[in-house]
Amino acid sequence: MAQVPQTFFDALAVRTWCGLALGALGQAREEIDAINVYPVADGDTGTNLYLTLESAATAVEAVFSGYEAGDGEPSLADAVHAMAHGALIGARGNSGTILAQLLRGMAQVLAEDDEAVGDESRTDGAGLRLALRRAADSARQAVAHPVEGTVLTVASAAADAAEGAEGDCGAVARAAYEGARAALAATPGQLEVLGRAGVVDAGGCGLVAVLGALVEACTGETVRQAPGGSGVVAVDSEAHARVALVSGNGPCADGNGPDGPAYEVIYLLEADDTAVDRLRGRLDALGDSLVVVGGDGLWNVHVHVDDAGAAVEAGVEAGRPYRIRITHFGLGDVHTGRGRPPRERVQRAVVAVVPGEGLAGLYAEAGATAVLARPGEPPASGELVQAVRRAHAREVVLLPNDAELRHTAAAAAEQARAEGIRVALIPTRSAVQGIAALAVHEPGRRFDEDVVQMTSAAGATRYAEVVVAEHESWTTAGICQAGDVLGLIDGDVAVIGADVTATAVTVLDRMLQAGGELVTLVVGDEAPETVTDHLETRVRESYLAVDTVVYRGGRQGALLLIGVE
């Protein structure tokens, strides 16, 4: 059904635009994923753009729902602020992070213009022109080393075309869309890796879809379609074959050479502007594809690095990083094209939920795709599905590492299976069980055999944690008070104490009474520095032939995780 034309741009137009853009990206997602060869040929640009826009649209809907419950309706400023914030906190990948900054740039101008017109709460064609200009400029500033032939080029061309347009919002939006289409068609001639693959830039392709939705929101008219179904992807008959052969050795966004970084690191960051300026310099020295977007104390950080731990640590020094996602690009990886072709799925991968940055790095170094779960911020099933997609494998072993995530993980597994991915869910209840499962993982084995061995290793690992009670409560070991140290074994409170080290020793002794060959200790940032020394000494002096391994978990919630197998 055709949309009602919007001479002016108001909150309802923002809502309509987000809905239409989400639909357009949903239709074009697979095509955009298929032509994704730059800066990394990991086949997820369309998906990342869709998830970023979905978060923006959800935030806008929440604003409207809030007003529907009472009186009145949201202002243009309310709607665009929600759109920008939703995109910022939900941004995925390099392309999604840039899209979030484009929307933020637009929101800054539209909110200012909204305040200027008072009760009318809308803007006109001139305001939309300024918003598109700010969007393009701010996105370019967010990228450490901008390269032409990318979404940045397409965004600048859209803004340039809009500046030359006269008339209402519909005329401006249409000019921006046509300018973006023309710039997109020229990207293979600007970026060698695109020319070799015979494709246009995937991120720019997604932006054209978003601008097409803006035209429809403003005019009620559907934009003209191009060959390829979605109206934005035009690929010649041999493009998909060539995409699979592209080595990625052409110029990359930040100077990627033949041996590009092994990890993608993304996190939200609460920090002030000065700290973020220092962070940019440090991350730029660590890797490439650096994009830092946001402002007003909240930022989204994206970078490709070899040392994922150092990238996260830089964020810790700058402020408070959270929702950390670390993705391993894989062996024979997408930067080099050596080994298997970049677009070919690997046979098997492991996706694991982990409670701290240190474990996220450990799992990633072991080849797993890690999803960080902050205390009180468990991942949703959609986030787990996205992690399964990022793993880009035919077969996936999913490790939730938390008993409370079993239903969420099961829902994610079912959705991934519906997409044709073979998924096995191993019901690990702690990260130490996940470590045990990952230790026996052998991708070369038959899938069923590998799952059986990993499940057996996890099941043979008893798990415990040492935490501090937040309030008075009844437990299986008696009544605890706020501030007491609790030792939980296999999920139940077994020890209540006053000292972290003494409680940990008691817990470990009880676990080893049933025997064991290996003790795994994962130490949180808040644990006393001496606790591991005491525990290692205890094991060495009291339990013959029992080995101990220690890992740093970072800010993992629990002071200490213990595994005995």
Side-chain angles (χ1 to χ4, degrees):
M1 185 173 66
Q3 302 295 322
V4 177
Q6 296 278 336
T7 303
F8 293 94
F9 200 73
D10 57 11
L12 181 60
V14 174
R15 184 188 200 182
T16 302
W17 177 33
C18 287
L20 291 170
L22 187 62
L25 287 174
Q27 291 179 357
R29 180 181 65 80
E30 291 186 0
E31 291 181 82
I32 296 174
D33 282 346
I35 65 169
N36 173 203
V37 299
Y38 180 85
V40 176
D42 48 357
D44 63 358
T45 290
T47 298
N48 287 336
L49 289 169
Y50 178 85
L51 291 172
T52 303
L53 209 289
E54 182 181 45
S55 182
T58 299
V60 173
E61 287 301 320
V63 168
F64 272 86
S65 296
Y67 275 90
E68 288 169 0
D71 296 326
E73 59 185 25
S75 66
L76 175 58
D78 292 333
V80 295
H81 280 317
M83 174 185 71
H85 182 73
L88 178 67
I89 65 174
R92 297 289 197 277
N94 187 74
S95 55
T97 307
I98 292 174
L99 176 61
Q101 189 68 1
L102 287 167
L103 296 180
R104 177 180 172 82
M106 290 190 69
Q108 289 173 330
V109 172
L110 295 175
E112 292 169 0
D113 206 44
D114 175 42
E115 294 170 1
V117 297
D119 294 338
E120 292 184 338
S121 191
R122 63 186 189 184
T123 193
D124 55 13
L128 188 57
R129 281 196 296 272
L130 292 174
L132 290 166
R133 180 79 272 161
R134 177 80 65 85
D137 292 347
S138 63
R140 188 171 287 270
Q141 291 167 3
V143 177
H145 302 286
V147 170
E148 298 308 323
T150 66
V151 62
L152 300 177
T153 305
V154 176
S156 294
D160 291 343
E163 287 179 337
E166 299 292 337
D168 60 13
C169 290
V172 173
R174 187 174 294 282
Y177 171 71
E178 295 297 343
R181 276 175 58 94
L184 178 65
T187 55
Q190 295 174 294
L191 205 52
E192 183 183 353
V193 65
L194 301 179
R196 291 202 310 271
V199 298
V200 294
D201 178 68
C205 192
L207 179 58
V208 169
V210 172
L211 291 173
L214 179 62
V215 174
E216 187 171 353
C218 292
T219 67
E221 301 173 7
T222 303
V223 297
R224 63 189 178 88
Q225 299 290 300
S230 70
V232 294
V233 182
V235 186
D236 67 41
S237 61
E238 298 180 359
H240 287 277
R242 288 206 296 274
V243 166
L245 295 175
V246 169
S247 69
N249 291 343
C252 290
D254 300 278
N256 246 16
D259 299 306
Y263 302 100
E264 177 185 59
V265 178
I266 306 173
Y267 50 80
L268 292 178
L269 177 70
E270 293 178 357
D272 60 37
D273 291 2
T274 302
V276 170
D277 286 341
R278 292 194 299 268
L279 176 66
R280 289 179 197 270
R282 181 166 177 186
L283 292 179
D284 194 24
L286 285 175
D288 61 34
S289 294
L290 174 61
V291 185
V292 181
V293 304
D296 301 320
L298 180 62
W299 308 82
N300 192 305
V301 179
H302 170 281
V303 68
H304 295 171
V305 293
D306 281 319
D307 189 342
V312 174
E313 181 62 30
V316 172
E317 293 182 4
R320 187 179 83 89
Y322 60 104
R323 293 193 185 179
I324 301 169
R325 293 188 296 275
I326 300 173
T327 303
H328 188 275
F329 286 127
L331 300 176
D333 68 41
V334 291
H335 292 275
T336 68
R338 292 198 291 268
R340 63 177 63 88
R343 288 293 304 131
E344 182 180 344
R345 288 184 179 274
V346 297
Q347 183 62 31
R348 190 174 308 156
V350 176
V351 172
V353 181
V354 294
E357 302 95 337
L359 282 179
L362 174 68
Y363 274 73
E365 288 168 8
T369 296
V371 179
L372 191 74
R374 280 284 185 197
E377 298 177 4
S381 61
E383 190 170 354
L384 296 185
V385 172
Q386 171 62 358
V388 170
R389 291 174 182 149
R390 288 202 313 270
H392 204 58
R394 298 183 182 90
E395 301 167 341
V396 171
V397 179
L398 182 58
L399 306 175
N401 290 340
D402 186 337
E404 295 183 0
L405 285 177
R406 63 185 186 277
H407 297 305
T408 300
E414 284 301 316
Q415 184 173 340
R417 290 177 189 127
E419 297 178 8
I421 304 171
R422 190 179 185 187
V423 180
L425 172 60
I426 297 178
T428 48
R429 294 173 290 175
S430 170
V432 291
Q433 289 189 324
I435 291 172
L438 198 57
V440 300
H441 168 55
E442 290 186 13
R445 268 194 303 234
R446 287 180 52 248
F447 185 61
D448 291 339
E449 292 178 357
D450 199 28
V451 172
V452 167
Q453 292 299 318
M454 294 177 72
T455 302
S456 177
T461 302
R462 299 190 68 197
Y463 65 96
E465 59 181 317
V466 177
V467 300
V468 175
E470 296 182 357
H471 48 76
E472 181 181 354
S473 177
W474 286 88
T475 76
T476 51
I479 300 175
C480 72
Q481 305 295 326
D484 283 348
V485 180
L486 308 181
L488 290 80
I489 300 177
D490 294 336
D492 294 323
V493 176
V495 181
I496 300 175
D499 178 76
V500 173
T501 300
T503 301
V505 169
T506 302
V507 168
L508 184 58
D509 283 341
R510 291 194 185 183
M511 296 179 75
L512 286 172
Q513 284 175 0
E517 298 176 353
L518 177 66
V519 172
T520 300
L521 304 175
V522 183
V523 187
D525 283 349
E526 302 299 320
E529 294 183 2
T530 59
V531 67
T532 54
D533 291 337
H534 278 89
L535 293 175
E536 287 183 287
T537 300
R538 180 70 172 179
V539 171
R540 185 171 56 253
E541 294 179 349
S542 303
Y543 301 96
L544 298 177
V546 177
D547 295 323
T548 305
V549 293
V550 180
Y551 301 110
R552 292 289 170 182
R555 292 184 293 179
Q556 61 186 19
L559 298 174
L560 181 69
L561 300 178
I562 304 174
V564 174
E565 52 186 297

